[in-house]
Amino acid sequence: MRDNLSVVISAYNEEDNVRELYRRVKRAVEESGLDSAEIIFVDDGSSDSTFLLCRELQTEDPAVKIVRLTRNVGHEIAMRAGLDNADADGVLFMDADLQHPPELIPNMVRLWKDGYDIVLTRRTDNKEETYFHGACSRVFYRVLNFLSDVEIPQSMPDFRLLDRKYADWLKGFNERDSLFRGTLSMVAALNRNNVATLDFVADRRNAGESKYGFRKYLHLALSGILQFSVRPLHFSLWLSVVFGILACGLGLYVIVEYFVLKQPTPGYATIVTTVVFMGSMNLFVLAIVGTYIGKIHQETKKRPLYFADVFPGKRERDGKNNQR
Ligand code: UDP
Ligand code: MG
């Protein structure tokens, strides 16, 4: 059944956007041919009148749901709070600043109804993005994708629609330091055949300013890398190999100097060789410790072990039908 939809919107100090956003989203879901749709505003601890405006909308339209967070926890966790409160057959995520055009919703719903379980969007252009911001973003995604086991594309925002079964699977990720975009990419990677992608151009913000300053982005970048990769922990292993080879080379050189050339360099050569060798040993032990920490890091996340589609046998299906 794909007849109802939850639209999850996280909003932090978006008082100038809430009404316009609601108007456009409402019109878009009405055009989507759904039986019903709830619009979930997650107020991420706003200090302006975002919450009051949402309450006003709720008195006019019972399809509006509000999840009010007591403090600003960030876009990532706010969307998770929205997901936890979404009941419909499909869950659509979007930003509150109208950079994600609500007019795309009917097409997303159509693809979902056609059988795609995940409908992603690809930003072909971002009118809001400055050159500096774009460059930082490119560097971040390069580093992240180099280190990470999952491909997290730069131009794929959180504007996407997930079928219920994938939305439920996503709830299995209970990480405190979460990069929602990354976990969503993991979901999309589960079954590429069931993923559809729509292109769009991200408009300028309707009103207000971006809530993501350089510091917030840096924090997001670091937690994204730490969340999706334990590879930095392996660096000491590679360093130990490099220094180990260097120490062996130096040792060999000292031996050849002493026994073959009979012209030993006085003093420093043996000391340098010993220091490099000990450094290499230190790094090697650190690499072993790092490997264990990496395992703990992964285990503490308690991520879902698998995702499976279950096709019931004929007898079970008939049994269920009889019960109805
Ligand atoms: N947002 C949020 N909590 C925050 C920061 C942002 O819920 O702490 C929301 C914000 O209201 C918007 C979305 O996340 O709906 C994206 O934020 P923004 O537009 O500031 O980021 P940008 O598009 O510049 O990356
Ligand atoms: Mg924005």
Side-chain angles (χ1 to χ4, degrees):
M1 289 237 294
R2 298 189 173 197
D3 298 322
N4 50 52
L5 181 73
S6 301
V7 180
V8 173
I9 304 166
S10 77
Y12 175 53
N13 291 346
E14 301 281 7
E15 60 183 3
D16 294 328
N17 293 320
V18 168
R19 275 212 164 263
E20 175 67 2
L21 174 75
Y22 167 76
R23 193 184 62 74
R24 283 171 60 181
V25 169
K26 188 72 187 173
R27 201 175 54 200
V29 290
E30 277 169 2
E31 282 170 11
S32 303
L34 294 156
D35 284 355
S36 65
E38 56 176 3
I39 302 176
I40 304 177
F41 283 101
V42 184
D43 171 28
D44 185 12
S46 300
S47 52
D48 66 357
S49 52
T50 299
F51 172 69
L52 294 175
L53 286 167
C54 292
R55 286 290 279 175
E56 263 178 45
L57 290 173
Q58 200 173 37
T59 53
E60 293 161 21
D61 180 358
V64 171
K65 204 185 227 182
I66 305 169
V67 178
R68 189 186 194 186
L69 300 170
T70 48
R71 64 181 182 90
N72 178 238
V73 292
H75 179 51
E76 305 285 315
I77 299 175
M79 283 199 292
R80 170 59 200 253
L83 173 66
D84 286 342
N85 286 282
D87 306 318
D89 302 334
V91 186
L92 190 148
F93 299 91
M94 65 189 298
D95 285 359
D97 57 0
L98 286 162
Q99 283 201 279
H100 299 162
E103 290 68 32
L104 212 62
I105 294 176
N107 281 344
M108 294 168 82
V109 170
R110 186 178 46 76
L111 287 165
W112 172 51
K113 281 181 172 263
D114 285 349
Y116 288 102
D117 290 330
I118 298 169
V119 182
L120 307 177
T121 60
R122 181 170 35 221
R123 210 173 25 215
T124 50
D125 188 18
N126 184 355
K127 294 187 181 161
E128 180 79 17
E129 197 169 64
T130 60
Y131 182 77
F132 176 70
H133 180 235
C136 287
S137 168
R138 272 193 295 280
V139 170
F140 163 60
Y141 277 98
R142 281 258 169 85
V143 175
L144 182 61
N145 283 318
F146 172 70
L147 294 171
S148 165
D149 301 327
V150 229
E151 166 84 13
I152 303 173
Q154 181 187 4
S155 54
M156 296 242 177
D158 302 318
F159 186 26
R160 44 186 83 181
L161 197 167
L162 300 182
D163 188 61
R164 170 54 47 195
K165 59 182 172 185
Y166 287 95
D168 284 341
W169 191 77
L170 202 60
K171 285 188 191 172
F173 290 77
N174 277 314
E175 291 144 51
R176 303 195 70 77
D177 223 358
S178 149
L179 184 68
F180 206 62
R181 196 165 300 183
T183 37
L184 281 175
S185 294
M186 286 179 83
V187 174
L190 290 174
N191 190 350
R192 292 255 168 243
N193 295 335
N194 256 336
V195 178
T197 307
L198 284 173
D199 286 347
F200 78 102
V201 172
D203 240 323
R204 287 196 172 279
R205 259 184 161 269
N206 183 56
E209 286 185 349
S210 172
K211 312 296 180 298
Y212 274 91
F214 185 70
R215 266 186 51 207
K216 256 190 178 176
Y217 266 120
L218 197 66
H219 178 253
L220 199 66
L222 278 177
S223 63
I225 288 168
L226 291 177
Q227 187 193 1
F228 283 97
S229 176
V230 289
R231 284 191 202 163
L233 290 172
H234 299 159
F235 280 166
S236 53
L237 180 65
W238 295 114
L239 275 179
S240 81
V241 171
V242 170
F243 280 104
I245 292 171
L246 202 69
C248 289
L250 273 172
L252 213 65
Y253 176 70
V254 171
I255 291 168
V256 170
E257 251 191 347
Y258 191 84
F259 289 107
V260 183
L261 304 176
K262 309 240 185 261
Q263 287 173 333
T265 321
Y268 85 96
T270 40
I271 295 172
V272 170
T273 311
T274 318
V275 167
V276 174
F277 182 72
M278 289 316 292
S280 154
M281 284 296 104
N282 272 336
L283 287 167
F284 184 68
V285 174
L286 210 61
I288 295 173
V289 175
T291 310
Y292 279 97
I293 292 178
K295 286 274 167 250
I296 298 167
H297 180 74
Q298 279 163 337
E299 287 296 329
T300 49
K301 290 192 209 297
K302 296 205 181 346
R303 284 182 176 176
L305 287 182
Y306 62 88
F307 178 87
D309 279 319
V310 179
F311 301 91
K314 189 169 182 307
R315 193 187 286 174
E316 198 182 330
R317 273 203 311 269
D318 292 349
K320 275 198 183 140
N321 288 341
N322 291 342
Q323 281 166 18
R324 274 200 201 128

